Amino acid sequence: MRSYHPDLTPPWKRSAPVPEVPAEPDLVVEEVGTGFCGAVIGCEAGTVTLEDRFGKQRAFPLAPRGFLLEGRTVTLVRPAAGPARPSRTASGSVAVPGARARVARAGRIYVEGRHDAELVERVWGDDLRVEGVVVEYLEGVDDLPAVVRDFGPGPDARLGVLVDHLVPGSKESRVAARVTDAHTLVVGHPYIDIWEAVKPSSVGIPAWPAVPRGQDWKTGVCRALGWPENTGAAWQHILSRVRSYKDLEPALLGRVEELIDFVTAP
């Protein structure tokens, strides 16, 4: 007969049970021991592989109480066989099943061109609909101060603007400096064109080529890569390779998140 040995550990010293969470693809967690935070990209027997937003990958054992999920300690377990519903949006945010689009806010996010708008929609579209944020494109920022005046930003109608090639000394930086409205936030990325904000590895090229000054940049890229000189078709190819935030450069990710936070602030 097996003897019974009661647990004499005082209740206040016992570890509270933690939930077991299947390590589904795209689930974003933090490993407790190292602080490494990333999305699940694979789960073998006994280990899980995470990839952070910079593309770095690390494998960790599926140890009890080994991870944090949205600040809570959890135990990751190997997921059951079969298809799983996505738990994250393309931007890495928690997906809200059945969430309806919110009525559009008075505030807006403006981007320079159609390609910028399509890329933002591709990665942040679900988040924007839940928050009621509309993205519009300007076809350039030369008249940005007048655009801001015409919009008339206010406490309940904030305006965020994403500018290409916002680096010291550029024409874009001089235009942006003329916008001083307290309810407008102008931020930018360093790339000549939004195409460059897509990681070359995601597109299947070693790097974005350098295009000589004076040439149309998009046409020059197509020519250097040996693509047909059809910039519309080239963009559709590039956009098709973007599946989530992991396909974009951090310099763009941070700026778009900053704009969304600005226009949705209470």
Side-chain angles (χ1 to χ4, degrees):
M1 180 176 179
R2 181 176 298 175
S3 59
Y4 171 68
H5 299 283
D7 184 359
L8 301 179
T9 305
W12 60 87
K13 290 189 176 181
R14 296 175 190 170
S15 297
V18 300
E20 292 188 346
V21 177
E24 303 284 3
D26 295 328
L27 180 73
V28 178
V29 294
E30 178 182 339
E31 201 274 330
V32 171
T34 63
F36 186 89
C37 183
V40 174
I41 62 170
C43 188
E44 306 289 338
T47 64
V48 61
T49 301
L50 306 181
E51 181 179 87
D52 69 10
R53 67 191 308 163
F54 303 106
K56 184 178 180 181
Q57 299 179 6
R58 291 187 62 178
F60 298 98
L62 291 173
R65 307 175 66 89
F67 298 87
L68 296 177
L69 175 62
E70 298 180 351
R72 297 184 301 123
T73 302
V74 299
T75 296
L76 289 188
V77 296
R78 194 172 184 181
R85 295 182 63 182
S87 57
R88 297 276 157 173
T89 67
S91 72
S93 301
V94 177
V96 183
R100 295 183 178 182
R102 178 175 174 168
V103 175
R105 295 174 181 266
R108 292 287 187 273
I109 291 176
Y110 284 169
V111 297
E112 282 207 48
R114 181 170 58 84
H115 293 181
D116 305 64
E118 289 176 346
L119 186 61
V120 169
E121 163 63 26
R122 183 84 167 194
V123 176
W124 288 274
D126 290 340
D127 303 35
L128 294 168
R129 280 182 284 278
V130 169
E131 295 290 350
V133 177
V134 175
V135 175
E136 300 179 6
Y137 63 90
L138 299 171
E139 293 293 358
V141 294
D142 290 352
D143 297 323
L144 183 59
V147 169
V148 173
R149 286 195 301 272
D150 290 345
F151 181 83
D156 297 321
R158 295 186 174 196
L159 178 61
V161 184
L162 179 70
V163 178
D164 296 343
H165 200 225
L166 191 62
V167 296
S170 68
K171 176 195 73 174
E172 291 81 1
S173 67
R174 292 190 293 272
V175 172
R178 293 163 52 200
V179 177
T180 58
D181 183 88
H183 303 294
T184 301
L185 176 65
V186 180
V187 300
H189 57 75
Y191 310 112
I192 295 174
D193 189 272
I194 198 69
W195 290 19
E196 279 193 295
V198 180
K199 290 180 178 177
S201 57
S202 296
V203 183
I205 59 176
W208 289 106
V211 177
R213 185 180 295 272
Q215 287 189 24
D216 177 73
W217 190 85
K218 293 185 176 76
T219 303
V221 166
C222 293
R223 188 175 299 138
L225 294 175
W227 295 351
E229 294 182 19
N230 181 332
T231 58
W235 170 243
Q236 291 307 313
H237 167 70
I238 295 165
L239 187 62
S240 71
R241 305 302 293 270
V242 176
R243 297 174 177 82
S244 77
Y245 73 93
K246 292 183 284 185
D247 295 306
L248 302 182
E249 297 288 358
L252 175 66
L253 293 172
R255 302 294 72 75
V256 176
E257 298 283 355
E258 188 177 355
L259 289 176
I260 295 173
D261 289 346
F262 179 78
V263 300
T264 58

